[in-house]
Amino acid sequence: MSTGLSSDRALEAPDQFLSPSILWGDELKASFKLSWPLVIAQLAQMSLYTTDVIMMGWLGPKSLAAGTLATTLMSPFLLFGIGLITAVAPMMAQAIGALDFKSVRRTTRQGFWAAVFIATILVALIWNAEFIFLILGQTSENASKAQGYIRFAVWSFFPAFLFLVLRCLLSSHGKTSVVLYITIAGIIVNALGNYALMFGNWGFPRLELLGAGISTTFVNTIMFVLILTYILMHRRYKRYAILVRFWKPDWSRFREIFRIGLPIGFTLTAETGLFTAAAILMGWLGTNELAAHAVALQCAALAFMVPLGISQAATIRVGLAYGKKNHDGIRKAGWVSIAMGTGFMIFTCLAFWFIPTTLVSFFLDPALPENKVTLGLAVSYLAVAALFQLVDGCQVVASGALRGLSDTKVPMFLAIFGYWVLGLPISYVGGFVLGGGGQGIWLGLAAGLAFVAVVSVIRFTLRDRFGLTNYKSI
């Protein structure tokens, strides 16, 4: 049965801007054109969770603290799965660069398999979250409320991971605007769902945190259905026939996704796990500190979405150049993306330093007396966050460039060392031994990010010496 892949010129000739450029200006133009929809889509994706946090704040500091525990516990598991599934992006980009479109189809199908497999495991691991929180020294009230949210929100892992596979497929072809539109639609649906289910509006029951969890799963399901429908109906992409013989195993490709993806998953988990550990430490300090940490972390996370989107474009740009065996294209794609990501974070550094009160006020009403302590703490944490903006942007984009070369294993070990051997101990010593409280904890986060940024840039710089550009068949 022919799929038409070999004769479809629309597939065999990707957009011109996807071909690795020769001039630096051309590379900047190509990287920016690919990056900006991904950046906005990342901001929109993050806005789904930011909307939850803002509305949790409307319920009060106790709900915000419990919701923060829930989201910070879910984040490492979620990002582990995202990291694993992200392996399909460099695999697809390298295949497109080599004009091997059958490999793109194989990777998409096995990406679905990997998404369902890893989501099943992660849901089982996180299901009894209350027990985990109690072991980590959290209050029984916060632990119970957090588990209630998680038991509904955790089902979003399935559609979220499946959505990511198809997002990588479109991004590898340079078609990212559709992802942006679908994600924006998701924000609207999520906000309406939260408003109805959290607060009992429009005749719905008032479910508070449980309502936020239900809305999270519902909106991710809608987003997956929309992107799947688009791909199945679009003339260019339906020729991949991604659902034909879906149940036929392709074990070599399945193993390849895990070979590349597991280190990415562990890398993202190491970083997010550091922030989760910081939230646990904040919980030891008190509810106000934990709520303030949630607000400051949301501000930092929103800023991080921009270089994260650029890093995804870097993976694709570098992967395309690698597939074409274009050494100069690899060099230019990597350095242009690193410059773009780091350059943006200069602006967020200045914002965190000069207008922290304005930013924090989006999450907590400064007119309410009960928010005064939390607001003050959040402002102090943003002052520390300003210090690590540049290194945070640098490390994520450099890591994305390395992934375009399928280099994931060594960066994983470097990240684990930086975040857990350096960052976490510094957080504990700064927060408790030296009495720095929340600011001391955040200084540890900055130290871990700085180390990973430096070693990642060095590794990309010395990519030839490390044998990362020894081209292999896709």
Side-chain angles (χ1 to χ4, degrees):
M1 175 179 173
S2 173
T3 63
L5 284 174
S6 60
S7 61
D8 186 3
R9 299 302 302 171
L11 286 177
E12 293 182 4
D15 291 348
Q16 184 178 2
F17 85 87
L18 284 176
S19 299
S21 308
I22 298 176
L23 301 177
W24 286 98
D26 293 335
E27 179 58 46
L28 177 62
K29 180 180 178 181
S31 294
F32 181 80
K33 186 174 182 179
L34 181 61
S35 294
W36 77 262
L38 288 173
V39 167
I40 299 177
Q42 279 300 140
L43 288 168
Q45 183 74 41
M46 185 63 192
S47 296
L48 292 172
Y49 299 98
T50 302
T51 301
D52 286 350
V53 173
I54 291 175
M55 291 187 170
M56 288 172 186
W58 295 352
L59 293 172
K62 288 185 177 181
S63 293
L64 178 57
T68 299
L69 283 177
T71 55
T72 51
L73 179 64
M74 285 181 61
S75 291
F77 291 90
L78 177 64
L79 285 183
F80 176 82
I82 288 175
L84 190 152
I85 302 304
T86 299
V88 304
M91 293 171 66
M92 289 175 177
Q94 291 171 15
I96 292 172
L99 302 181
D100 182 3
F101 297 100
K102 289 184 178 179
S103 287
V104 178
R105 179 181 63 192
R106 291 172 59 197
T107 299
T108 302
R109 291 176 179 172
Q110 293 309 297
F112 281 163
W113 279 45
V116 174
F117 178 79
I118 196 62
T120 301
I121 293 176
L122 295 179
V123 168
L125 289 175
I126 202 174
W127 187 254
N128 292 314
E130 183 175 4
F131 177 73
I132 299 174
F133 289 131
L134 292 176
I135 289 178
L136 295 175
Q138 304 304 304
T139 66
S140 58
E141 181 182 8
N142 283 345
S144 178
K145 285 186 176 182
Q147 176 171 276
Y149 171 84
I150 286 175
R151 287 203 166 176
F152 286 98
V154 74
W155 296 106
S156 66
F157 286 8
F158 287 95
F161 295 162
L162 293 169
F163 176 86
L164 181 59
V165 174
L166 298 182
R167 170 177 167 166
C168 290
L169 176 62
L170 294 180
S171 298
S172 297
H173 287 83
K175 300 300 182 182
T176 52
S177 58
V178 174
V179 177
L180 170 61
Y181 300 145
I182 291 175
T183 308
I184 291 176
I187 295 175
I188 298 173
V189 173
N190 187 56
L192 294 174
N194 282 350
Y195 186 72
L197 296 174
M198 290 178 69
F199 303 98
N201 292 304
W202 302 323
F204 288 90
R206 181 183 174 92
L207 300 177
E208 299 191 350
L209 292 183
L210 302 185
I214 295 171
S215 181
T216 295
T217 295
F218 177 74
V219 70
N220 276 278
T221 302
I222 293 297
M223 290 169 61
F224 168 65
V225 170
L226 288 175
I227 195 171
L228 178 63
T229 301
Y230 173 82
I231 289 174
L232 293 179
M233 295 182 65
H234 194 283
R235 184 185 67 85
R236 183 178 192 182
Y237 306 111
K238 70 180 181 180
R239 291 180 179 268
Y240 279 119
I242 59 175
L243 297 183
V244 174
R245 295 190 298 274
F246 175 79
W247 299 109
K248 182 180 180 181
D250 187 349
W251 296 117
S252 62
R253 187 57 51 105
F254 186 78
R255 287 191 296 268
E256 181 71 1
I257 292 174
F258 276 80
R259 185 189 70 81
I260 298 174
L262 281 175
I264 301 176
F266 283 119
T267 298
L268 293 180
T269 303
E271 180 178 358
T272 311
L274 176 63
F275 284 89
T276 299
I280 299 300
L281 296 179
M282 289 291 185
W284 293 353
L285 293 174
T287 298
N288 285 324
E289 286 81 359
L290 181 57
H293 174 76
V295 172
L297 184 58
Q298 283 299 313
C299 293
L302 279 171
F304 180 72
M305 291 302 105
V306 175
L308 179 59
I310 294 173
S311 77
Q312 294 165 355
T315 296
I316 293 170
R317 291 293 303 166
V318 172
L320 287 166
Y322 183 91
K324 290 180 176 293
K325 300 182 180 180
N326 186 326
H327 185 84
D328 190 54
I330 292 173
R331 178 172 65 94
K332 290 188 170 94
W335 285 117
V336 164
S337 296
I338 291 172
M340 288 171 58
T342 307
F344 170 81
M345 295 301 260
I346 294 175
F347 297 100
T348 61
C349 172
L350 296 175
F352 287 0
W353 189 260
F354 289 107
I355 57 170
T357 303
T358 302
L359 298 175
V360 171
S361 296
F362 282 108
F363 297 87
L364 293 171
D365 187 352
L368 298 178
E370 61 267 28
N371 290 338
K372 182 177 180 180
V373 175
T374 303
L375 280 165
L377 290 170
V379 167
S380 70
Y381 300 161
L382 278 185
V384 182
L387 299 177
F388 66 68
Q389 289 300 289
L390 297 182
V391 294
D392 201 12
C394 182
Q395 64 87 17
V396 71
V397 180
S399 296
L402 291 172
R403 288 167 193 159
L405 302 173
S406 296
D407 179 39
T408 59
K409 188 174 181 179
V410 171
M412 172 190 70
F413 289 119
L414 294 174
I416 291 173
F417 179 86
Y419 298 138
W420 289 89
V421 178
L422 292 180
L424 184 59
I426 293 174
S427 288
Y428 180 81
V429 171
F432 296 93
V433 178
L434 299 180
Q439 284 186 311
I441 292 172
W442 274 67
L443 284 172
L445 305 180
L449 291 168
F451 172 83
V452 176
V454 171
V455 296
S456 297
V457 170
I458 290 175
R459 186 163 178 81
F460 182 76
T461 303
L462 302 178
R463 60 194 176 278
D464 295 333
R465 184 175 302 179
F466 289 122
L468 304 182
T469 52
N470 293 335
Y471 302 108
K472 59 183 183 299
S473 59
I474 306 302

